[in-house]
Amino acid sequence: AQSVTQLGSHVSVSEGALVLLRCNYSSSVPPYLFWYVQYPNQGLQLLLKYTSAATLVKGINGFEAEFKKSETSFHLTKPSAHMSDAAEYFCAVSKNTGNQFYFGTGTSLTVIP
Amino acid sequence: DADVTQTPRNRITKTGKRIMLECSQTKGHDRMYWYRQDPGLGLRLIYYSFDVKDINKGEISDGYSVSRQAQAKFSLSLESAIPNQTALYFCATSQGTGGANVLTFGAGSRLTVL
């Protein structure tokens, strides 16, 4: 069985501060991992994905995530938060067949001016 | 026009009514999905389809049915809506095989069942 766990349903950071959103996965086989972002009243859009090519993955808008197999983690970071980063962030996992994607429960990011 | 279009965007209905949510895509993708989003629960898969002749149940298919009318169209029906089906529904598409496929989402359909 596969699943993802996102620690912290709400995260608040000051503008300019480091953003760290946590995601841990459980998978019996090497997974594919994704981070999606949902802005208010919009659908989800891809931030970045891990497909085993490199453990440090860079995405859009300055976000990046590092795959750590020993910790079964795929945490999302951004060095300096911007007001426009306020959104809901979802971690997701799929397996090689791509039949299903499993989403975490989401983390709502608030950026304080 | 959006790559994945959902209609209606908002719908309020009463218990027992039949509701259809429609999804159309211009991506040319072969795979289409319906997800449900509830606060604190993330997204849960209702149904998915890999082509016109292929329909599969997801983790929460009870109370729902789907129809893949064409490669570009995938509709979700609630035969007799109940209040706990109040949620935000998303259609998504992807292309090809392999777990690295990226989902492209519609903007969502917010359904309220009174």
Side-chain angles (χ1 to χ4, degrees), chain A residues 4-8 11 19-24 32-38 44-50 57 59-60 63-67 73-77 88-93 103-108, chain B residues 102-103 105:
Chain A
V4 289
T5 301
Q6 292 184 240
L7 297 176
V11 171
V19 176
L20 171 61
L21 305 182
R22 300 178 186 274
C23 174
N24 289 87
Y32 296 98
L33 293 159
F34 307 80
W35 276 100
Y36 284 84
V37 61
Q38 183 183 24
L44 283 71
Q45 54 185 280
L46 182 72
L47 268 181
L48 50 81
K49 67 177 182 180
Y50 167 75
V57 182
I60 62 172
F63 284 93
E64 62 183 35
E66 186 172 9
F67 173 72
S73 69
F74 190 57
H75 301 330
L76 182 71
T77 60
E88 183 122 23
Y89 292 81
F90 292 93
C91 183
V93 63
F103 285 83
T105 53
T107 298
S108 178
Chain B
V102 173
L103 292 171
F105 284 85

Side-chain angles (χ1 to χ4, degrees), chain B residues 40-114:
Chain B
L41 296 179
L43 276 75
R44 293 179 291 168
L45 183 63
I46 305 172
Y47 272 96
Y48 60 104
S49 168
F50 285 174
D51 64 39
V52 174
K53 297 180 181 179
D54 177 78
I55 301 290
N56 304 279
K57 293 182 177 181
E59 57 185 310
I60 56 163
S61 60
D62 288 348
Y64 302 94
S65 63
V66 291
S67 173
R68 185 82 183 266
Q69 300 96 323
Q71 188 201 29
K73 296 183 182 295
F74 192 38
S75 60
L76 176 72
S77 293
L78 288 68
E79 295 300 326
S80 180
I82 56 176
N84 75 2
Q85 292 177 312
T86 293
L88 184 56
Y89 291 85
F90 285 104
C91 176
T93 70
S94 71
Q95 178 63 30
T97 60
N101 298 314
V102 173
L103 292 171
T104 300
F105 284 85
S109 296
R110 185 169 297 280
L111 177 65
T112 302
V113 183
L114 301 176

